Amino acid sequence: MRASSLFTTITAFMASQKPETVYPINGLGVTPAMGWNNWNAFACSVNEDLLISTAEKMAAFGLRDAGYEYIVLDDCWSLGRDSKGNLQHDPAKFPNGMKYVAEKIHSLGFRFGMYSDAGSYTCARYPGSLGYEKQDAITFASWDVDYLKYDNCHNQGLSGTPKITSERYRTMTDALRAAGRPILYAICNWGEDFPWKWGPTVANSWRMSGDIYDSFDRPDPRCPCSGDEYSCAYPGSHCSVMNILNKAASIIDTSLPGAFNDLDMLEVGNGGMDDEEYKSHFSFWAAVKSPLLMGNDVNVMDAKALSILNNPAIIAVSQDPLGVPAVRRWRYYVNDTNQYGQGEIQMWSGPLFGGDQLVILLNAGNSSRTMNATLADIFCVATGIAKEIQEDWDVYDLWANRMDDATAQSIIDGTSIMGAGTSVASFYYNATQVSYKEGLAANDPLLYGKLTGTVTAGGAIETEVPRHGVAMLRLRKRTTTSFKVQDV
Amino acid sequence: MRASSLFTTITAFMASQKPETVYPINGLGVTPAMGWNNWNAFACSVNEDLLISTAEKMAAFGLRDAGYEYIVLDDCWSLGRDSKGNLQHDPAKFPNGMKYVAEKIHSLGFRFGMYSDAGSYTCARYPGSLGYEKQDAITFASWDVDYLKYDNCHNQGLSGTPKITSERYRTMTDALRAAGRPILYAICNWGEDFPWKWGPTVANSWRMSGDIYDSFDRPDPRCPCSGDEYSCAYPGSHCSVMNILNKAASIIDTSLPGAFNDLDMLEVGNGGMDDEEYKSHFSFWAAVKSPLLMGNDVNVMDAKALSILNNPAIIAVSQDPLGVPAVRRWRYYVNDTNQYGQGEIQMWSGPLFGGDQLVILLNAGNSSRTMNATLADIFCVATGIAKEIQEDWDVYDLWANRMDDATAQSIIDGTSIMGAGTSVASFYYNATQVSYKEGLAANDPLLYGKLTGTVTAGGAIETEVPRHGVAMLRLRKRTTTSFKVQDV
Amino acid sequence: MRASSLFTTITAFMASQKPETVYPINGLGVTPAMGWNNWNAFACSVNEDLLISTAEKMAAFGLRDAGYEYIVLDDCWSLGRDSKGNLQHDPAKFPNGMKYVAEKIHSLGFRFGMYSDAGSYTCARYPGSLGYEKQDAITFASWDVDYLKYDNCHNQGLSGTPKITSERYRTMTDALRAAGRPILYAICNWGEDFPWKWGPTVANSWRMSGDIYDSFDRPDPRCPCSGDEYSCAYPGSHCSVMNILNKAASIIDTSLPGAFNDLDMLEVGNGGMDDEEYKSHFSFWAAVKSPLLMGNDVNVMDAKALSILNNPAIIAVSQDPLGVPAVRRWRYYVNDTNQYGQGEIQMWSGPLFGGDQLVILLNAGNSSRTMNATLADIFCVATGIAKEIQEDWDVYDLWANRMDDATAQSIIDGTSIMGAGTSVASFYYNATQVSYKEGLAANDPLLYGKLTGTVTAGGAIETEVPRHGVAMLRLRKRTTTSFKVQDV
Amino acid sequence: MRASSLFTTITAFMASQKPETVYPINGLGVTPAMGWNNWNAFACSVNEDLLISTAEKMAAFGLRDAGYEYIVLDDCWSLGRDSKGNLQHDPAKFPNGMKYVAEKIHSLGFRFGMYSDAGSYTCARYPGSLGYEKQDAITFASWDVDYLKYDNCHNQGLSGTPKITSERYRTMTDALRAAGRPILYAICNWGEDFPWKWGPTVANSWRMSGDIYDSFDRPDPRCPCSGDEYSCAYPGSHCSVMNILNKAASIIDTSLPGAFNDLDMLEVGNGGMDDEEYKSHFSFWAAVKSPLLMGNDVNVMDAKALSILNNPAIIAVSQDPLGVPAVRRWRYYVNDTNQYGQGEIQMWSGPLFGGDQLVILLNAGNSSRTMNATLADIFCVATGIAKEIQEDWDVYDLWANRMDDATAQSIIDGTSIMGAGTSVASFYYNATQVSYKEGLAANDPLLYGKLTGTVTAGGAIETEVPRHGVAMLRLRKRTTTSFKVQDV
């Protein structure tokens, strides 16, 4: 029997169990972590000002209130170790030290994340924490760090079986616990040695693929495993959104509240994809409960990137109290391929808070097409015929109330959400005041997009989906009579 | 040389050897275990009443007498450990404790099975037995447990080679032996690290695939390995009957009396397949000597489910004294595919008690078809030309005397086999009084279905097989002249 | 750099080095072992008389003189261990004990081989030697055993990496060495964990595939790896001759004098293949330097089986002093397939004593065909253009002087080679008096088949090859002018 | 995050870090090693005179000055160990001992490389260093060795996970460091157990495939993994240039300055490929920063081999200060296949010193064809749209100024570069006086081939590429107006 069969009983279970049982590691990250990490846009070009100014801008743009909580510094912050073996920050980059950065970030209402590596060097060949786990965990705790990204470079060959790899990462799990400060633990071993098998007892999240790059579906030889491979002995890098998503399809249901598969940081706003592609990227990362770490330069944020990243109806899916990732129900290759020979369509669905059901229709074909999904496929379950198929459902389009470009641009131009007009109220959700769980329970319309139709018992949804785009829909049980979308 | 080549000599061998040599672990489960497990129908919704009332109903319906012996409680029965580390039952679910349940079940003529996990948590994140093997084995023995299902979740990454995994499971083998009570040991590590290589010296049965779900052949991305893969590094879940059966084809002949490949619990009666599909499912699980654990809710048992599960001619194949699984002789893909693109036909055969030969013609195409099998294929053996091909055989259809719907319904409606009419005698076999071995030796017609024809030396069987159905035939050497089915 | 590139220098090297360097383990088995093993024909039905009478018959038929040296007893000879843990023979099968058998076999001019298993049980579940290596090696030595087949069943999960598996087998290597008697060590772990990587420092030969069965090319699901796989995590059994041969193609050049890949025991004479298929089977086993263990019942030997097994021109290839296996030069699938969908053609070649070159044209298509091979392909070498292509060669057909059926039958009918007529002299080679190396050096015509043509520089061989048959040719540099076979 | 994403920041990083951080092992081999190794041409036929006379000839031909620095002795130099376990040279081959050879080689301006094996025997079965690492490292240091090739034969099964294998090789890393002499450490484990994952903390280079052989693209069964496999459990030997190159595509970006993937020694000049094939071979080995070890017999060097190996514009790519390997941008199969069924085209590119960009168009089809590459593909980067696409570039053909045959022949005939005419100055670069880095910085025209055109912003390169040949181009940002090659 597998944990993946549990969602029908998990709600009741969570109510009856003590939290430390449900979230095995540390009680943190019960919903997927949200925040920002500098790597995708800045790589090694890090310094104090970048982190603080980014945090300031994210607060001003309303992204902190939307839920982006962690400001995460990636590699290249170090100057090595001192004579006692303590990690030293690079004073040229961080003249006031790391604790100062943490305090500034905390004062802005964020939490502070740092980076190390389960090897002798980090990926950029700064000192790694292998063999220094206890000492470094104490250092991070002393710096008031709230989050640790823990990479996999230069690991001295300590890989090859789940046992070898998990022991290396668990050493830091134990060290963080011993250090006494709550630190969310995000491991990054690129899916090597099946972290979805052992991740829940080791970390709050685990990367499940090679590094993302800013492409929707271009294959790159440096990402040698195809999206059809459930096991990848060499994850590589330069993996496209579709490559990672397809790899996730097989293992995504291993995610649990407090223990999530991480599909890597977001590329939204970095310029390598078009608007529909970025919407698809963000929709799926939310739907499958991946951490949502923004990866763009907020100083050059454009209106469309902002209105993707701040959509409360999508984020509410990510932060859904059930914590159950959507799963793929079907996939078909289509002849309508692009220059890379890629073309396919998919449907994913999964349960949401309140008995709702998420549905995503993905058109990864090369032109717009009409797509549909039956309730039978949407509610495909392990045992017997789902009773939900025999019910009527309202259909909410979660992208329908996306912030308009003018409003988003006015925020950017005004350098803060306060600089925008009154229209902001139609889009602005403050999760620091009312959690997504509370908002969902209160039927806050900001979290439900727009009612666009109804599907009756035994019927199907049908909608037009643009090239490389998605229809992201939320089905709610009908309480009043309404028109129907389509019968099949 | 391999054990798989041994069946020609195994009968004589078994007669001459001491049982502890033949059944290496504990002398239990010499034929595949039969019983009921709550997971497929009830998941975590377990309690004392469910187990006892199910046992009562199974007894009343004649299923106990048919051979279903173990009432197995799955995950979610625990409340954690006490201050001494002893496992505690959940008193809300089991107000009288587990030993009370065991006694009630014993008093109904069944044996009692429980569940734990070779990890730090069970799949539903209750305490696992990793590191507590000795203590928990003593606990189970003290509760009069007769069977242990031992799962694989949250195993702390202790996998990756047969050595790592088998040592983890063997720790419980030794603990159960030390605890002193005969406890059938059913391990459930989903085929990871090749349990068919080391299972016979560790357990009475081992799961060889990811979890079954109630579908005949729908592929699901959560079961990433195709049925053609003999080695699956990530077994997953939501594996269809056909997926599991095809995986079994390569390794099924590693089963030995007392040490069986487990294809997972039955889905018969859960509603996701049609009657022919359930018949195929049950037929193959019996033919390949998988344990037969009913997985349905006996309170809503329908007539057709009952008449599948209680067919003595099929169960006699499962409990055949030779304990030799049927093997696949041929497989062809056919163009007649269903909505999932699936379509194939197969023939399996294997030796049965008394020199008989089992033959199964499987039509996994999308419509009924005429199928045939030559004696040459049916008796394909490793060395030389089988002498059996040169003999004449009577053909018995093992499904021909299936209980009719009216009788089955009268049992259900009457809430017991006693409530049915006299017609019950035509279908009712009491293996608790006369074992299947004894019944076969006595040529009990209940165990032989119906004579439907004859095949002469060098000939072939030909029969119509419905969509997703089987012809399950028993060939017996002819002793009198008779008509022939077909010559080729 | 790899050992496989060494053949051009190996002759000189062998002359200059001490033997213990060249044959790392024990100096035994410098050429592939030859003999007889009971398993393929008799499985567990073993006893003293079978071994002794077989040895007597093999001597009488001239097979001992042809080189078949080891009479090997396989599984099922044991009665368990005594109170001191010493292995006990089964007195019902071996009333005079094993040492008596050894002495009888020695007195007939053969060597005696026994069987154990690197696990807790043998495949037939008699006691295995795992944990008893030293004790059992001493027992075997005390029984005057000359050869140990060491199997892989019930190995307690001690597999998964070359390290785990090789250590398990090396324990017996050391134990045999410590026991003090020269015992050829033939390990049988079915190619698991890449024995060709570590075999030369562990054993005299290692099985490289799942068990053979008596079929030329029928696929069986119990042999799940196709012939194209160079790495097989589950070798299985019921592997056809073509399946094993194709697996061997990738790794065969890891064989060295004294350390050979073992393609499993011969099926010649067991009835599942036709004469051409058996000839192909035997030809390749000889060409690639597999051990040649007869696997048939010599009491029912037919003329054609005898005349395959006793062909000195083929055996001289097996026992060639260079010990270099032939390698595959090309392979093509053909449309001319059989009922199993199999059809292909191949050409193999490799160096032989005296500057000769072996060429095998294999027609695994479904009907006879004309095949050819260019000198460029035959002498394809790693570096540059082979000078041999620019030379003229005489072509000898190694099957042309096969013993005729009448002569073979007269031997069988006369129950000894002495019972045949004077024609025997044309076919009979006594390697116990004149080794194959000496015979080759002396240009004994029995070892060279029949001169059938010549191929000139830059030319090609062309010949008709029957269905499932081979042309097995020996090229010798021309010393006189002659006609040519074909120019290309 | 992966090291592979670092090249945009690596230049600045290298300036700011201490060298021991950048080059983790020993500070040696910051650019790929160049030199000569005897194996490909001479195998075991080694002696003092071969090494010294080759060094003399390489110096005389100007190859030392071109950068070929290491004269590496391969296997077969040993006579075993003395009574103290010290390695002994073979006095028949090296009458004056190894230190004498080292001194002679040093006096000629070269460094001296030797060979051992991380196993109990070398591939030719001389003593290996497994278990003798410290002792042998001291021996090599005492012989003034500058380079160690460390092979993988007869490794006692110590493989199967990166942990097992890397530990075996790291033992020698530590031993060499302890021995106190700077010795470049080139490990040769054929890509087993993913050396690109752990190589940078173990060695200066690591072989990533099975052994090369002198063929452009002929498949051989002894090299069982196709070029599409990123993980090869049995690397084998007889791997063609295209096979190795295609394997490299997935993992090549793991190379770092001081830690390079090794595609095996060169076959240029050995006769198995034509001139275009050898040019392609050499171009790619340089472009991907493989070590460049000549593998031919310099005594029979022909003009074309010399003018490939001595081309300073190509070598400058190998020795580029950035040390960043080119990566494959696209690959297409073409119908224009050869006798082996091979046919494909590829484009690779990567950054070079000074903001330049390397482009290689490979035509592995069977006839000449026009090929093109867009700036968008050439500058494909991970994040967003590369700004380089919007710039104009001059295009330099790096093979255009290859030494003409007459000049090359005059060097060979004159037995030294001094024997050639004044035309030599047009081709001769002395890297021992002016490093490639200095020459590039000084815009030495010898390092830039020939300006053949310009490509404007958003445009593409188009050129004719011969069968099995390459166009190897260097793009430099335009500083003056010029004609354009082609717009797209």
Side-chain angles (χ1 to χ4, degrees), chain D residues 25-44:
Chain D
I25 295 306
N26 51 20
L28 302 173
V30 176
T31 56
M34 296 179 64
W36 178 87
N37 173 302
N38 65 268
W39 184 261
N40 282 1
F42 295 92
C44 272

Side-chain angles (χ1 to χ4, degrees), chain C residues 450-464:
Chain C
K450 177 179 173 186
L451 176 64
T452 58
T454 300
V455 54
T456 54
I461 296 166
E462 182 174 288
T463 184
E464 191 73 11

Side-chain angles (χ1 to χ4, degrees), chain B residues 1-10 13-14 16-18 20-25 160-167 170 193-194 196-202 228-231 246 248-259 327-330 332 348 377 380-385, chain C residues 39-45 74-76 78-79 90 115 120-121 123-127 149 151-161 164 188 190 192 207 210-215 218-225 229 231-238 264-265 267 270-272 339-340:
Chain B
M1 174 251 303
R2 301 297 304 279
S4 58
S5 307
L6 284 170
F7 85 78
T8 52
T9 59
I10 209 164
F13 173 65
M14 283 170 60
S16 69
Q17 292 297 309
K18 286 174 289 189
E20 59 268 35
T21 303
V22 180
Y23 315 116
I25 296 306
T161 63
K163 182 174 191 294
I164 298 170
T165 291
S166 67
E167 285 176 356
R170 194 180 295 113
D193 294 324
F194 308 94
W196 42 88
K197 290 187 181 180
W198 44 265
T201 55
V202 170
D228 295 335
E229 291 173 69
Y230 63 87
S231 166
N246 282 326
S250 292
I251 50 90
I252 195 63
D253 70 340
T254 56
S255 291
L256 299 167
V327 297
R328 192 167 70 199
R329 304 302 182 176
W330 49 250
Y332 297 100
W348 294 56
D377 284 342
C380 173
V381 292
T383 303
I385 304 300
Chain C
W39 184 261
N40 282 0
F42 295 92
C44 272
S45 302
D74 211 288
D75 203 351
C76 308
S78 172
L79 195 72
D90 184 337
Y115 166 98
S120 48
Y121 298 92
C123 295
R125 279 170 290 159
Y126 292 88
K149 173 177 178 175
D151 216 333
N152 193 32
C153 284
H154 303 304
N155 63 29
Q156 296 282 350
L158 292 170
S159 67
T161 62
I164 298 168
C188 173
W190 321 315
E192 287 190 354
R207 286 275 308 283
D211 279 17
I212 197 172
Y213 86 127
D214 191 11
S215 171
R218 178 185 172 273
D220 190 294
R222 291 167 287 181
C223 180
C225 298
E229 291 175 68
S231 166
C232 181
Y234 183 63
S237 61
H238 295 82
D264 206 357
M265 300 171 295
E267 293 284 3
N270 280 326
Q339 73 265 45
Y340 307 125

Side-chain angles (χ1 to χ4, degrees), chain B residues 53-90:
Chain B
S53 68
T54 295
E56 289 170 342
K57 195 149 273 186
M58 287 177 68
F61 287 177
L63 292 164
R64 179 196 59 204
D65 298 347
Y68 296 92
E69 180 178 14
Y70 292 97
I71 305 294
V72 183
L73 170 60
D74 212 286
D75 204 351
C76 307
W77 56 264
S78 172
L79 196 72
R81 295 185 183 277
D82 67 14
S83 60
K84 295 176 180 169
N86 292 315
L87 285 170
Q88 299 295 301
H89 69 272
D90 185 337

